[in-house]
Amino acid sequence: MSIPAIVIPSLRPEVLGAPFPGTELPELRTALVEVQHWIDSAEEPAEGGASRWHAWPDRPEFQPIYGPVSLNTGAAGIAWYSLAAADSTGDPEHTARARRAADFVVAHWRERIEDSSLNVPGIGLGHYGGLSGIASVFIEMAERFPEYRPTAVALLDEILARTGRTGGRDFGWTGANGNLGDGGIIITLVDAARRLDEPRYLEAAVRAGEGILAEELQDEHGSYWHGVDAAALGIDFEIELDGFELGTIGIAYVLARLGAATGDERFTAAAARAADHAASQATLVGDAAVLARIGGTISFGYCTGSSGTIRSFLQVHRATGDAQYLEWALRFGRGILRSGVPGRQTPGNTNVYHQCCGSAAVLESFIGLWLETGDSLWLDAATAQGDDLLIRSVVDERGRRWYSESHVLPVGTLKAEVGHQVGASGIALSLLRLHDAVASAGGGAAFSTLRLPDDPFRAAV
């Protein structure tokens, strides 16, 4: 029996050339303006012309787990999206917003170094909630505005100065190998060494990477690495966590990044072993693949789901040149499509819309696979996924937003945050990239976007 072709649904139904009544959706540029209204509603002027952003405009007193300056929930994430919007639209107001947010970070980042969100030592230095993610934003800021380079260097040097001080190991910073911990710091340092032309950052990344290499473990599926302790996430029984942020899938990405940056076969071969371990646990159905997580649900986000697995396999493909890893990335992409996405939400994905765990991560994966392969299936899927996001948004005079379950404490509350990884800025970034990808495919300007170190998709075509 042959495998049926994947058919992408239209979520903009028309009759006689016009939208069917009640199904109208805005064009992406209009929607992005509406999202910006929501983001702007969270801005509060601070000292010296800087601004801070309240994470959740409905409840300004709400304090996000990763604080007011982080990439995840704070001003660094606002700056990141604003830079991308400035590039896409040419509107100087986006640049001005990026600078206001960056200036707030400059004034306050040192207050957040000792942050201890979750139970991961040294997480205040990490990529998702700490200095490494902030540094990634400031590396981009420094390329445009040289006055921000000293802050980028100070952030990175603070990380180096703290090597071995927390986490219980003489290498690294957190005692956790996953991207939530040392892995995320390593990929930031690799990127910083290249873009700032500072070899000491790559040297530090290699030393930490060698420490992770030495902790390779074996089970019936082959080689794996312990990522983050389950207890750090409040899980009261022993289990090996996985996913892009927590376990071997993300560590494969880190090792592949190190291998590509250094040419060191030790890292590249280890990345392939880690990817092979993940592949061995996948459920294959025809041309598609999925991975179950704790509790048996199947997530499609990147922190613990298929979108993160796509990122990892694509980077391992880049590092090794082995086409099987690209095919695995495509299998996981097809697994999302064959689940009924876009157009429905399966268990494990309900009410989750943002970059980290949800629909925006899926949209990024579809755009990324189109950039990698040129196959129109993925751009068609991305277009429908963008429409699905618009359908699930709320819009009124305050702007367009998404009430989302963040899978970041406090779990159980639908929050319309404005940050990059769990809020409107990150969702807007995915929609912005979709707009530019569709325009490029239609003969417009070549696709170009900024990318974070945890993002392997092409920055330009």
Side-chain angles (χ1 to χ4, degrees), residues 58-191:
D58 288 331
R59 287 175 46 185
E61 75 281 3
F62 171 73
Q63 296 297 316
I65 190 170
Y66 290 120
V69 299
S70 71
L71 171 64
N72 193 309
T73 56
I78 301 294
W80 184 253
Y81 170 65
S82 298
L83 290 175
D87 291 346
S88 178
T89 66
D91 185 345
E93 177 49 36
H94 291 303
T95 302
R97 186 186 313 102
R99 292 179 67 102
R100 293 195 300 275
D103 289 346
F104 182 80
V105 177
V106 170
H108 295 282
W109 69 266
R110 291 187 183 277
E111 301 166 12
R112 317 303 305 191
I113 298 173
E114 304 295 341
D115 281 2
S116 57
S117 52
L118 305 179
N119 292 307
V120 178
I123 199 171
L125 307 178
H127 178 77
Y128 294 106
L131 300 195
S132 296
I134 297 169
S136 293
V137 175
F138 273 81
I139 291 167
E140 184 70 31
M141 291 291 297
E143 290 189 351
R144 301 161 188 248
F145 312 106
E147 62 268 30
Y148 290 107
R149 182 185 172 102
T151 299
V153 171
L155 286 157
L156 294 159
D157 285 352
E158 185 71 31
I159 293 167
L160 263 58
R162 290 170 175 264
T163 303
R165 287 172 52 179
T166 52
R169 306 188 293 196
D170 60 3
F171 69 90
W173 304 270
T174 69
N177 294 325
N179 279 337
L180 190 66
D182 286 0
I185 298 172
I186 289 170
I187 58 177
T188 298
L189 292 172
V190 168
D191 189 57

Side-chain angles (χ1 to χ4, degrees), residues 51 197 323 375 401 440:
S51 287
D197 192 24
D375 186 342
R401 61 227 185 249
S440 176

